[in-house]
Amino acid sequence: MAAVPAAETLDGHKDRFDLGVFVGGLAVDEEVTSDDESLEGLQQELDNCKNDQEVANILANGIKLREYTKGVENNIRQIELDSIQDYIKESENLVSLHDQIHDCDNILSQMETVLTGFQTEIGSISSEIKVLQEKSMDMGLKLKNRKAAESKLSKFVEDIIVPPRMIDIIVDGEVNDEYMKTLETLSKKIKFIDADPMVKSSKALKDVQPEAERLRQKAVSKIFEFVIQKFYALRKPKTNIQILQQSVLLKYNYTIIFLKEHAKEIYAEVRVAYIDTMNKVLSAHFRAYIQALEKLQMDIATSTDLLGVETRSTGFIFSIGKEPLKTRPSVFALGERINILKPALIPHIAEAKSHKYSYEVLFRSLQKLLIDTATSEYLFTDDFFGEESIFHDIFAGPIQVVDEHFNAVLLNCYDAIGIMLMIRIIHQHQLIMFKRRIPCLDSYLDKVNMSLWPRFKMVFDLHLNSLRNANIKTLWEDDVHPHYVTRRYAEFTASLAHLNVEHGDGQLDLNLERLRMAIEDLLVKLAKMFAKPKLQTIFLINNYDLTISILKEAGTEGGKAQQHFEEVLKSNIAIYVEELLLEQFSGLIKFVKSRPADETATNSEKASIAEVEPLVKDFASRYKAAIELMHYDVITSFSNFLCGMEILRATLAQLLLYYTRLTECVKRINGGSALNKDLVSISSILFEIKKYSRTF
């Protein structure tokens, strides 16, 4: 920027205010020198100005710094003078502005005063609001406390007050559903009075307690009369006890709860009254039922009806008293007696039909009635009285009645099959009670079971000893057919084995094994009474075969006894076959057995034509007649045709084997071909065997 000369500047402002008059003659071009001027830091400032553009331009144009400085100072001075002129021109405005500012300040002062007043008022209002808030919180707390007090007080009044309606129902009302609800309400009030310690210190208690006590006494009296009346209804003849219990007594079971809670002495009287009533009623029912069952009983066996007892000793086969044999099931066969698991008997219906039953049927009906009645009574007493122990007091009488009857019958019972059936019945009833989850008769059923097993063992031992100590002379009959003792044993064993299939009683199996050994010894002794060995063998075969047949028919799936008898039967059949062949072809059999069966025989051991020829011709002349005689002997000796046919086939097969060996001996003899014309062909013998096998 070019420097402006001072004269030129002044010439341009001739008409302006001459400030120089006031400031005097100040020479700006005078050099000011001072010896005290310090040059310290100059070099640093110069270094700083190297990069300044303005300084760089000045230095580039060759202008002296002092001159330039003077120009700048003059310009500044002129500008200052111009500014003063402007302020002078605007002095009125400034005065006006000052006045306005002063007025505004007054107004603002007044507003400050007003706002300060507002602030003071707002502060007082805030204090009042805080006071009101504290009062509101205090009133809310008081309201909450009053509501809580009102709630407790209203509940207290509700629990302690005795409404007139309640008094009317308790005193004059009938015992019905409404009476039960009122009774529950009264019970709650009595409990409230007795349980809450704050109530006892209440003045209201003095007014309410006597009234509540009178209501309690009245309720107890009315309940006692009502319940006792219902108990007496149970004693009426032909009353369905279970229906009365379920539809009437259980409906009003809260009466018992009320007595138990508020009148324990009266409850004890009610409890005793019910026990006495049901004990007598059920005892009478069971006594009448037992008397009716006794009329239907058919005796099966007595102490003389044993396996090894002679038939003639009782006139009929195990006839008992006047009971005809045809109307009694067999003493030793199970038969239809296995079907006893049917609905319990209705005595008057069975008596009207003139039916008679073995004792296990009556036993099953009696025990079924007992467990059903006990189940019903156990569940009722638990629901009505809430006590399980009361059941045992009630059923002490009925169980005693049943025990007396059972012990009397069992003492004279000699029916081993019937006793075993009763054991299985008790086991089945134990399972029924277990499934019902009713434990009330566990001890009774165990006791009956423990009574039956010793009796069964005693009767079983009687049968066993009857076989061991049997009188052979009185039992023996000159007859090779099965002995009646064998049939008794087989039926008896099959019956017990059938009843033991699902239970697997090892002790019973052991006893049956002892019985098998006893009957086998007895049969051997009876067989020895026959003079001929052949008759002895036939007798044993017939008896063994009968035993096996009966065991198979019983469906016992074999067993040790059956397996044993099959083995001894097989060995005795082999003995009989040999004896039968010896009767007809003794010479042939002795010859064949005396010669080796193979071709290793020496010359000395080989037979001669003289030895063989009579045997060959004898066999050819009478083998047909001999086979016919053996056939007749078999069919007349054995009762079982199937067994006889098997024995005949075995006999003829053995005969064919002996004759085949004879023909082989003939072939090995020098000159034996001369006997070929007398030899019977194997096919001819087979034809005869088939002929008799078909006709048998």
Side-chain angles (χ1 to χ4, degrees):
M1 183 174 106
V4 180
E8 215 176 284
T9 305
L10 292 174
D11 289 339
H13 295 283
K14 291 178 178 180
D15 56 341
R16 292 187 181 180
F17 177 73
D18 189 3
L19 188 61
V21 179
F22 294 98
V23 298
L26 178 63
V28 295
D29 56 348
E30 293 182 357
E31 292 184 4
V32 180
T33 60
S34 176
D35 294 336
D36 296 331
E37 189 79 24
S38 177
L39 297 177
E40 185 180 356
L42 178 61
Q43 186 62 38
Q44 184 177 359
E45 290 182 2
L46 290 174
D47 292 338
N48 293 335
C49 291
K50 285 181 180 180
N51 297 326
D52 186 88
Q53 187 65 34
E54 191 68 24
V55 175
N57 291 335
I58 294 171
L59 293 176
N61 293 329
I63 301 173
K64 292 182 180 181
L65 290 177
R66 187 176 296 277
E67 292 178 357
Y68 187 80
T69 302
K70 288 180 179 181
V72 171
E73 287 178 354
N74 290 332
N75 289 337
I76 291 173
R77 183 179 294 276
Q78 186 62 43
I79 291 170
E80 183 180 0
L81 293 174
D82 291 340
S83 296
I84 292 171
Q85 288 294 331
D86 290 338
Y87 278 113
I88 292 171
K89 288 179 181 181
E90 296 295 331
S91 60
E92 294 179 359
N93 293 333
L94 290 173
V95 171
S96 176
L97 177 63
H98 178 268
D99 293 338
Q100 290 178 0
I101 290 173
H102 186 266
D103 293 339
C104 288
D105 187 52
N106 292 333
I107 293 171
L108 290 174
S109 178
Q110 293 175 3
M111 290 181 66
E112 181 181 7
T113 303
V114 173
L115 291 175
T116 302
F118 285 163
Q119 184 178 8
T120 303
E121 292 179 359
I122 290 172
S124 63
I125 292 172
S126 176
S127 300
E128 292 177 0
I129 289 173
K130 289 182 179 179
V131 172
L132 291 174
Q133 186 177 7
E134 291 176 357
K135 290 182 178 180
S136 176
M137 292 177 63
D138 185 52
M139 292 174 65
L141 181 60
K142 290 180 179 179
L143 178 61
K144 183 179 179 181
N145 292 337
R146 287 178 182 179
K147 285 183 177 180
E150 181 184 3
S151 175
K152 292 183 178 180
L153 183 61
S154 62
K155 187 177 185 304
F156 173 80
V157 173
E158 182 182 354
D159 289 341
I160 200 170
I161 194 172
V162 180
R165 176 64 178 167
M166 176 186 290
I167 298 174
D168 293 340
I169 294 174
I170 295 295
V171 175
D172 301 324
E174 295 182 358
V175 179
N176 51 26
D177 293 340
E178 184 181 13
Y179 194 91
M180 292 296 101
K181 294 179 181 178
T182 307
L183 204 61
E184 290 183 20
T185 305
L186 177 61
S187 176
K188 291 179 182 178
K189 293 183 181 298
I190 295 174
K191 290 179 181 178
F192 177 73
I193 293 173
D194 295 338
D196 196 334
M198 295 182 62
V199 177
K200 296 181 179 179
S201 62
S202 172
K203 294 182 179 180
L205 180 63
K206 297 178 181 179
D207 297 333
V208 175
Q209 190 172 21
E211 190 67 25
E213 178 62 21
R214 285 194 291 270
L215 284 178
R216 184 193 69 82
Q217 293 177 358
K218 182 62 178 179
V220 168
S221 175
K222 182 171 287 190
I223 289 171
F224 179 77
E225 293 177 0
F226 174 80
V227 173
I228 294 299
Q229 182 182 3
K230 297 302 178 184
F231 289 172
Y232 285 152
L234 296 171
R235 299 186 179 186
K236 294 181 181 179
K238 299 182 180 180
T239 298
N240 192 319
I241 296 175
Q242 294 182 3
I243 291 180
L244 185 60
Q245 288 175 338
Q246 298 296 325
S247 61
V248 178
L249 292 178
L250 278 183
K251 183 179 179 181
Y252 300 107
N253 68 325
Y254 188 76
T255 57
I256 300 300
I257 298 174
F258 186 86
L259 293 178
K260 188 185 294 187
E261 292 177 348
H262 304 294
K264 294 184 178 180
E265 294 180 357
I266 303 300
Y267 168 76
E269 293 181 14
V270 170
R271 186 179 184 276
V272 170
Y274 181 79
I275 292 173
D276 182 65
T277 298
M278 291 306 298
N279 192 313
K280 292 179 179 178
V281 169
L282 293 179
S283 297
H285 284 186
F286 276 97
R287 192 174 289 108
Y289 188 76
I290 290 171
Q291 291 174 355
L293 289 179
E294 289 175 346
K295 298 178 182 179
L296 306 176
Q297 183 175 350
M298 174 176 60
D299 294 330
I300 299 297
T302 65
S303 59
T304 60
D305 294 323
L306 303 174
L307 292 174
V309 175
E310 184 189 2
T311 302
R312 291 188 295 270
S313 64
T314 55
F316 295 99
I317 298 179
F318 298 101
S319 60
I320 301 175
K322 298 180 180 179
E323 189 69 38
L325 180 63
K326 64 181 180 179
T327 62
R328 289 192 301 114
S330 173
V331 179
F332 307 104
L334 186 60
E336 296 299 323
R337 298 172 72 181
I338 190 62
N339 300 322
I340 62 170
L341 300 179
K342 296 179 180 179
L345 290 175
I346 302 177
H348 65 275
I349 296 178
E351 187 176 2
K353 295 180 179 180
S354 300
H355 289 171
K356 294 288 185 179
Y357 301 92
S358 54
Y359 181 71
E360 70 270 7
V361 179
L362 310 183
F363 175 82
R364 189 260 175 187
S365 297
L366 178 60
Q367 298 300 321
K368 182 68 168 59
L369 178 64
L370 180 63
I371 66 172
D372 289 345
T373 305
T375 299
S376 175
E377 189 63 28
Y378 179 82
L379 295 175
F380 171 76
T381 53
D382 187 37
D383 292 339
F384 191 67
F385 290 97
E387 298 182 35
E388 295 182 3
S389 59
I390 195 172
F391 169 84
H392 299 286
D393 296 331
I394 294 172
F395 258 73
I399 289 178
Q400 183 179 359
V401 172
V402 174
D403 276 345
E404 290 176 356
H405 162 75
F406 172 71
N407 292 331
V409 173
L410 189 63
L411 187 62
N412 297 311
C413 182
Y414 295 90
D415 182 10
I417 294 176
I419 296 174
M420 182 54 65
L421 284 170
M422 287 187 279
I423 291 173
R424 299 310 178 211
I425 290 169
I426 288 296
H427 177 72
Q428 190 177 58
H429 286 176
Q430 287 176 324
L431 293 178
I432 291 173
M433 296 298 283
F434 176 77
K435 291 178 181 179
R436 292 177 180 178
R437 297 184 179 181
I438 305 295
C440 57
L441 288 182
D442 288 353
S443 58
Y444 166 77
L445 294 175
D446 289 340
K447 181 181 68 174
V448 174
N449 192 48
M450 295 301 293
S451 300
L452 287 169
W453 273 110
R455 186 66 188 182
F456 172 80
K457 184 65 168 58
M458 188 273 289
V459 175
F460 188 92
D461 288 344
L462 289 178
H463 288 291
L464 181 62
N465 293 329
S466 70
L467 294 178
R468 290 175 175 175
N469 304 324
N471 189 334
I472 304 300
K473 294 182 179 179
T474 57
L475 287 178
W476 183 78
E477 296 177 351
D478 191 9
D479 187 0
V480 296
H481 290 87
H483 200 277
Y484 57 83
V485 173
T486 302
R487 178 173 292 278
R488 294 177 187 173
Y489 161 78
E491 292 176 347
F492 185 71
T493 300
S495 300
L496 294 180
H498 183 76
L499 292 175
N500 195 39
V501 169
E502 296 181 359
H503 300 275
D505 193 317
Q507 189 64 35
L508 181 59
D509 290 336
L510 182 61
N511 287 328
L512 290 176
E513 181 67 15
R514 294 164 58 205
L515 194 68
R516 180 197 62 75
M517 296 171 63
I519 187 64
E520 192 172 2
D521 291 342
L522 178 61
L523 290 176
V524 171
K525 292 177 182 179
L526 289 173
K528 290 181 180 179
M529 296 294 290
F530 292 95
K532 297 180 179 180
K534 177 185 173 183
L535 296 178
Q536 296 177 8
T537 306
I538 293 173
F539 175 78
L540 292 175
I541 290 174
N542 279 326
N543 283 276
Y544 294 154
D545 179 66
L546 175 65
T547 302
I548 294 170
S549 299
I550 293 176
L551 291 176
K552 286 182 177 180
E553 289 176 4
T556 55
E557 300 179 357
K560 294 182 179 180
Q562 181 177 330
Q563 293 175 4
H564 176 79
F565 282 116
E566 287 175 349
E567 292 175 359
V568 295
L569 174 63
K570 185 177 180 180
S571 62
N572 278 275
I573 287 176
I575 295 173
Y576 172 77
V577 168
E578 291 296 324
E579 291 175 348
L580 185 61
L581 290 174
L582 284 172
E583 287 183 354
Q584 302 296 331
F585 304 101
S586 58
L588 185 151
I589 293 173
K590 290 178 181 179
F591 174 79
V592 170
K593 288 184 176 181
S594 64
R595 296 292 185 273
D598 52 18
E599 298 180 359
T600 59
T602 60
N603 292 331
S604 60
E605 292 176 341
K606 291 182 179 179
S608 62
I609 294 179
E611 292 176 322
V612 175
E613 184 176 6
L615 297 176
V616 172
K617 290 183 178 181
D618 177 69
F619 183 85
S621 63
R622 65 182 189 87
Y623 80 94
K624 292 183 179 181
I627 290 176
E628 184 177 358
L629 288 174
M630 289 189 294
H631 168 261
Y632 178 77
D633 191 287
V634 168
I635 63 174
T636 55
S637 298
F638 301 104
S639 304
N640 187 349
F641 287 166
L642 294 177
C643 179
M645 184 172 64
E646 293 297 328
I647 293 173
L648 179 61
R649 288 174 180 171
T651 303
L652 297 178
Q654 187 65 30
L655 174 63
L656 181 61
L657 179 62
Y658 284 142
Y659 188 72
T660 301
R661 290 176 61 183
L662 177 64
T663 57
E664 291 176 354
C665 290
V666 172
K667 292 178 182 179
R668 291 197 296 268
I669 298 175
N670 294 327
S673 58
L675 298 177
N676 289 341
K677 64 180 186 300
D678 297 322
L679 288 174
V680 179
S681 65
I682 299 300
S683 60
S684 299
I685 299 175
L686 289 174
F687 175 79
E688 293 296 324
I689 292 175
K690 292 179 180 179
K691 181 177 68 174
Y692 285 104
S693 297
R694 288 195 301 269
T695 58
F696 186 73

